[in-house]
Amino acid sequence: MFESGRICYSPETMATRLFEAGSDDVLYIVDLSGYVFRAYHAIPPLTSPSGEPTHAVLGTVNMLEQLLRDCQPQLLAVAMDSRTQTFRKEMYPAYKANRPPPPADLKQQMTRVSEMIEAFPLPRFQQDGFEADDLIASAVKQCRQVGLRVVIVSADKDLMQLVGEDVLMWDTMRNRVFGVEEVTERFGVEISQIRDVLALMGDSSDNVPGVPSVGPKTAQELIAQFKDMDGIYAHLGEIQRKKLRDTLQEYREQAYMSRTLVTLKEDLQIDLDREHLTYRGRNAEALRALYAELGFQRHLGTLEKELAAPRQAPKPMGASAKQDPKSPARKPVEVSCVTELSQLGPLQEQLRVTGRLSLVPLLMNGAAFSAAWVGVALSAEVGRAYYVPLDHRYMGAPKQLSAADFVGWLKPLLEDPKIALGGHDVKGAMVLLEQRGLSPHPCAFDSLLAGYLLDPAGDHSLESLAQGQLGLSLTPEAELTKTKGRKKLLLDEVSVEDACQFAAPRAEVVQGLWEPLERRLEEEGLAHLWKDIELPLTGLLAQLEQVGILVDGQALQKLGVTVGAQLVLLEKQAQQVAGHEFNVHSPKQLEKVLFDELGLKPLRRTKTSRSTDADTLEALASEHELPKVVLEIRQLAKLKGTYIDALPGLISKRTGRLHTRWRQEVAATGRLSSTDPNLQNIPIRSELGRSIRGAFIAPAGFQIVSADYSQVELRVLAHLSQDPVLLEAFGSGQDIHLRTAMEIFEVDAEDVDVELRRRAKAVNFGVIYGQGDSALGKSLGISRMEAG
């Protein structure tokens, strides 16, 4: 709400937040079985110094440490699945029958997770015959009876049936909190109706059958209209769609059986004794030994620091956590909308004190290089911010500063070595500033990068960081541009007052995040990476975006004509093979030709048809020529549409170059990501891909240089594993893929041909990134047995 030019962050406008950290009436229940399984599949394979698999264990420890740090739980427990067959399996033998047995290394890691739970130590909810979900549901019911609130640490949609004003769900992997509002928005029905929606739509992961052809949308519509499943079947004749009505009637028994399967049991006996659930701290010696044995050096170092110092207050990163008490006390934000340069005098005065300028531009039209500059938000201190409107175009817009006057005012500040520049995505701001003749000093703080380094897989948006670190809510851009009767406003059509209220707090929030995020980076041993690598790289990438890359648009146009002619010939070939004309690009028509006319066996079905996706066509290519031709058509058409036709239209008319956006904060592996357009996925193995790459050229007197680390991942693997064969191969300068081929296929070096080396290379990199036998067999075109 806005009062007297000051912005007050009202909790009523925020997304659901976790209960206050340290509350003595909140029980945190961790869905441990589900979490370990998610961590196993979400985190790349890791091993301990002794070679023991550890990635699922590490993911679980990360979650527990975050929970303890952010929430300071007074009452805490974990829930685990039954060690024996459950009652659902006895009632419906096909329940979860489609799941393969757990991998051996997952079973091994579950043992380690149990040791971790003992070391923290945490009470367990576990009963033979029942799943963790049932134990959590029973605990929630009993908690409600005795006045305890609950936070369920899980992402299982089945558990969303339990959410209420006194029960929240927290997905720590995605830093998302689910309250009543979030759950009802997701399912489109009241929480009491979720069970019937789940029953109708079924669940492929648990092999709950549901009703065929009833997906989430249809299930939602049915429950919204008839209240529950009993209402549906009591008014079955009122359903207008005959096919749906008949299907519901045919599968009525199955629908009710599915409802039984998804119904959580709430009558199990759970020990809710406060003494039993009270968390009293970790067994430091046991944890120290486990962390050392498993090679969890970061956690070991943090544990040692905590043992040597008083317990720190929570330092949250994700949504819905308490404000860092080390941060300056929050106060209402004073906002000024600037129409005269003299109004920026107080900002200049404050800069002499703080030496920190946070700058957040309000842009439209995508990447910074081609964006229109609507306005700029500035702040030099917590509690005060300014918005400078520059190009609002709506009817009746008030007086605005000229861009030239503002640039002239800003120039000495950006060139002053005593003033540090910060923001959120500072690289984009630097590109924008450099286009206007400004040369800012290297970036000193970027909340986007800081959030990324602290949690590479999390949400690094300014909204999430503001809420998680400072307990503040920022208006999302979608709300700013929302209007009735039109899809949305353009940013330059937004009123200056609304833009000011939207943008100015963002610059102030950057000021508020500056110290606490830098402190966390220091505490977590990331200061060197932050200061010496990521921040300097920001300036370099800004220069790369500004310079761009030269593209021969005429060469692409000629290539487009050639590929277009090839596509015409291939389409005629496909029609000849089929025996008649049809639209090769129509999945519906292709489905009919392949399966009805040619009699090929469909391998996979969607909810509405038999699949003609790439995997299906590849599998069918050995049985008939048509799938092979269609695959070639699709590959050519994709390259033509994505690159050959699209790239010329993205060339800047001002520079004659493509200006891609290089992003540091996307890939959890640390690799750069190219967007707007993506220049990283242009294929190199095919002749057409090489022709597209050939259109990227250097101006006269210059050359394009391609540089890459030589098999850096394998060298790291050799160092970490100390494998004698890898070490010997790299030490002698031998081709590592050739050496792997010699070892796998038991042949001499002179007998390793191109194909054997290609297969060995796939194995080498598949080992690093956790590729299974199925995926390896698919990539090499061999059987799963041979790949294994």
Side-chain angles (χ1 to χ4, degrees):
M1 55 188 174
F2 293 84
E3 296 179 0
S4 305
R6 300 168 89 74
I7 295 180
C8 302
Y9 296 93
S10 172
E12 287 77 21
T13 65
M14 297 181 186
T16 299
R17 301 175 58 199
L18 289 176
F19 304 125
E20 184 176 0
S23 299
D24 63 2
D25 66 336
V26 177
L27 170 62
Y28 291 81
I29 309 177
V30 178
D31 176 15
L32 192 66
S33 299
Y35 199 93
V36 174
F37 186 79
R38 286 183 74 202
Y40 177 83
H41 290 284
I43 300 174
L46 300 170
T47 56
S48 70
S50 65
E52 177 183 344
T54 60
H55 53 291
V57 186
L58 179 60
T60 305
V61 169
N62 288 344
M63 179 272 297
L64 290 173
E65 292 284 12
Q66 180 189 359
L67 174 61
L68 295 174
R69 180 181 68 242
D70 290 1
C71 302
Q72 295 185 330
Q74 302 299 302
L75 305 172
L76 177 61
V78 299
M80 300 183 68
D81 285 336
S82 168
R83 291 160 294 196
T84 62
Q85 182 169 287
T86 68
F87 76 94
R88 291 183 179 85
K89 188 77 172 176
E90 294 174 356
M91 178 182 70
Y92 180 58
Y95 181 66
K96 293 188 177 181
N98 55 340
R99 292 190 182 184
D105 61 332
L106 177 56
K107 289 183 178 179
Q108 184 179 358
Q109 292 183 76
M110 279 300 302
T111 302
R112 285 296 196 182
V113 168
S114 293
E115 293 176 12
M116 287 290 180
I117 298 306
E118 293 295 332
F120 269 90
L122 302 175
R124 306 185 195 202
F125 298 154
Q126 186 174 32
Q127 291 185 31
D128 287 346
F130 301 99
E131 297 177 60
D133 291 5
D134 299 309
L135 296 161
I136 293 172
S138 297
V140 164
K141 183 176 181 179
Q142 292 182 44
C143 283
R144 283 174 165 152
Q145 292 171 348
V146 298
L148 286 178
R149 295 179 291 171
V150 180
V151 174
I152 304 169
V153 184
S154 176
D156 189 341
K157 66 179 183 300
D158 293 341
L159 290 170
M160 291 183 180
Q161 302 175 63
L162 305 174
V163 168
E165 296 301 327
D166 54 351
V167 177
L168 304 177
M169 268 185 61
W170 182 23
D171 178 0
T172 57
M173 277 193 179
R174 295 183 173 86
N175 269 328
R176 293 193 62 189
V177 177
F178 293 89
V180 174
E181 181 179 348
E182 288 80 6
V183 173
T184 53
E185 180 180 351
R186 171 169 176 171
F187 284 95
V189 296
E190 298 298 320
I191 287 180
S192 60
Q193 299 172 309
I194 290 175
R195 179 188 66 163
D196 285 4
V197 169
L198 293 173
L200 289 170
M201 58 188 276
D203 186 342
S204 58
S205 63
D206 287 345
N207 208 32
V208 175
V211 176
S213 302
V214 174
K217 183 178 180 181
T218 302
Q220 172 194 327
E221 292 173 348
L222 287 169
I223 296 300
Q225 181 179 358
F226 298 107
K227 306 305 181 186
D228 56 22
M229 194 179 294
D230 293 336
I232 292 173
Y233 282 104
H235 300 87
L236 200 59
E238 297 177 20
I239 297 176
Q240 300 298 314
R241 292 153 55 188
K242 182 179 183 303
K243 185 175 181 181
L244 175 60
R245 186 172 65 248
D246 292 345
T247 302
L248 286 166
Q249 180 62 48
E250 180 181 355
Y251 291 95
R252 176 173 182 154
E253 183 178 340
Q254 184 168 291
Y256 277 99
M257 185 266 292
S258 297
R259 187 169 74 170
T260 303
L261 291 175
V262 301
T263 298
L264 302 178
K265 289 190 69 66
E266 298 180 324
D267 56 354
L268 305 179
Q269 290 302 309
I270 303 295
D271 185 0
L272 283 188
D273 179 69
R274 178 175 285 273
E275 186 72 15
H276 175 62
L277 297 174
T278 297
Y279 180 70
R280 294 181 173 79
R282 295 169 288 191
N283 182 334
E285 292 305 318
L287 267 186
R288 181 186 281 125
L290 282 169
Y291 286 169
E293 184 179 357
L294 297 177
F296 295 171
Q297 296 302 321
R298 182 168 67 87
H299 288 301
L300 183 60
T302 301
L303 178 63
E304 299 290 0
K305 288 180 182 177
E306 290 181 1
L307 292 174
R311 186 178 180 188
Q312 299 286 327
K315 297 169 288 184
M317 270 300 299
S320 315
K322 194 177 181 181
Q323 178 185 344
D324 188 340
K326 294 182 181 179
S327 299
R330 300 301 301 177
K331 57 183 179 179
V333 181
E334 184 177 348
V335 168
S336 298
C337 184
V338 176
T339 56
E340 300 284 349
L341 285 177
S342 59
Q343 293 174 278
L344 291 169
L347 174 69
Q348 290 177 293
E349 290 296 321
Q350 189 60 34
L351 277 174
R352 294 192 180 98
V353 178
T354 64
R356 290 179 171 179
L357 174 65
S358 57
L359 183 150
V360 177
L362 188 61
L363 307 176
M364 58 184 291
N365 296 342
F369 182 84
S370 59
W373 187 345
V374 178
V376 177
L378 303 166
S379 179
E381 60 180 315
V382 173
R384 192 166 188 183
Y386 301 79
Y387 178 68
V388 183
L390 297 170
D391 196 17
H392 286 264
R393 300 172 181 268
Y394 66 94
M395 184 72 68
K399 176 184 176 183
Q400 301 173 62
L401 281 182
S402 75
D405 288 345
F406 178 66
V407 166
W409 175 87
L410 191 59
K411 182 177 176 64
L413 297 180
L414 295 179
E415 295 176 352
D416 187 343
K418 297 179 182 178
I419 296 177
L421 176 64
H424 190 80
D425 186 15
V426 177
K427 174 176 60 62
M430 293 175 77
V431 172
L432 185 81
L433 296 170
E434 287 172 1
Q435 285 186 41
R436 286 150 180 83
L438 299 171
S439 300
H441 281 290
C443 168
F445 176 74
D446 189 334
S447 51
L448 177 69
L449 281 182
Y452 165 72
L453 289 180
L454 289 166
D455 184 11
D459 182 357
H460 320 123
S461 68
L462 192 57
E463 289 88 347
S464 176
L465 295 173
Q467 191 174 72
Q469 186 71 21
L470 305 175
L472 303 180
S473 177
L474 292 176
T475 302
E477 186 176 310
E479 286 296 315
L480 175 69
T481 57
K482 185 171 68 174
T483 185
K484 294 180 180 179
R486 288 180 55 184
K487 192 172 184 181
K488 67 176 183 177
L489 292 170
L490 298 176
L491 278 175
D492 63 356
E493 297 172 328
V494 172
S495 72
V496 169
E497 180 186 9
D498 287 347
C500 180
Q501 295 171 355
F502 167 80
R506 284 168 150 68
E508 190 272 344
V509 160
V510 170
Q511 288 286 340
L513 292 171
W514 204 311
E515 288 187 6
L517 291 190
E518 282 198 329
R519 184 167 58 247
R520 285 201 61 185
L521 289 164
E522 185 75 36
E523 291 172 351
E524 299 202 16
L526 297 168
H528 165 65
L529 179 62
W530 165 249
K531 295 177 181 178
D532 300 332
I533 297 177
E534 295 291 353
L535 287 179
L537 180 60
T538 292
L540 179 60
L541 293 177
Q543 293 180 44
L544 285 174
E545 289 188 18
Q546 175 75 0
V547 172
I549 184 168
L550 196 60
V551 181
D552 188 342
Q554 291 185 346
L556 286 175
Q557 289 174 358
K558 291 179 181 177
L559 187 60
V561 173
T562 301
V563 174
Q566 290 177 335
L567 283 170
V568 170
L569 291 176
L570 284 170
E571 289 171 10
K572 289 182 178 178
Q573 182 182 346
Q575 291 166 351
Q576 290 174 355
V577 172
H580 61 84
E581 291 187 3
F582 74 102
N583 184 354
V584 181
H585 303 283
S586 167
K588 195 84 174 173
Q589 294 186 33
L590 180 60
E591 174 192 3
K592 182 178 179 181
V593 171
L594 288 175
F595 305 124
D596 296 336
E597 297 177 10
L598 299 180
L600 297 177
K601 183 179 179 181
L603 304 181
R604 190 169 66 87
R605 292 180 180 272
T606 66
K607 288 185 178 295
T608 59
S609 63
R610 295 160 292 185
S611 177
T612 59
D613 63 7
D615 290 343
T616 300
L617 294 179
E618 286 175 2
L620 296 175
S622 60
E623 300 180 29
H624 198 278
E625 184 182 355
L626 182 58
K628 183 178 179 181
V629 177
V630 173
L631 275 174
E632 189 174 356
I633 290 172
R634 287 184 179 178
Q635 290 163 358
L636 285 182
K638 182 178 179 180
L639 289 176
K640 186 175 186 294
T642 305
Y643 298 110
I644 300 172
D645 294 342
L647 290 180
L650 299 174
I651 297 172
S652 169
K653 295 179 180 178
R654 179 163 60 86
T655 66
R657 291 168 172 259
L658 272 178
H659 297 267
T660 188
R661 182 184 177 196
W662 294 105
R663 300 181 63 183
Q664 305 168 247
E665 81 292 353
V666 175
T669 60
R671 290 173 178 259
L672 292 176
S673 174
S674 166
T675 60
D676 307 316
N678 183 351
L679 300 182
Q680 291 178 307
N681 290 342
I682 303 175
I684 194 171
R685 293 194 178 97
S686 68
E687 182 180 349
L688 180 56
R690 289 190 291 271
S691 298
I692 296 171
R693 285 172 174 253
F696 292 85
I697 57 176
F702 292 85
Q703 288 185 329
I704 293 179
V705 176
S706 175
D708 192 7
Y709 284 107
S710 174
Q711 300 165 344
V712 62
E713 298 102 322
L714 293 170
R715 294 176 189 273
V716 171
L717 177 64
H719 172 73
L720 293 176
S721 68
Q722 291 296 299
D723 180 83
V725 176
L726 287 174
L727 292 173
E728 192 275 328
F730 281 124
S732 63
Q734 186 178 24
D735 180 343
I736 191 63
H737 301 315
L738 181 144
R739 179 60 179 270
T740 300
M742 294 168 58
E743 298 288 334
I744 293 177
F745 303 110
E746 299 180 350
V747 296
D748 295 329
E750 56 269 21
D751 295 323
V752 177
D753 59 17
V754 174
E755 178 59 23
L756 290 183
R757 185 183 182 279
R758 183 181 75 86
R759 293 189 174 194
K761 182 177 180 180
V763 170
N764 279 336
F765 287 104
V767 167
I768 293 176
Y769 294 110
Q771 188 178 47
D773 51 6
S774 177
L776 178 63
K778 182 178 176 181
S779 67
L780 293 178
I782 58 179
S783 69
R784 181 173 180 175
M785 182 177 295
E786 186 180 356

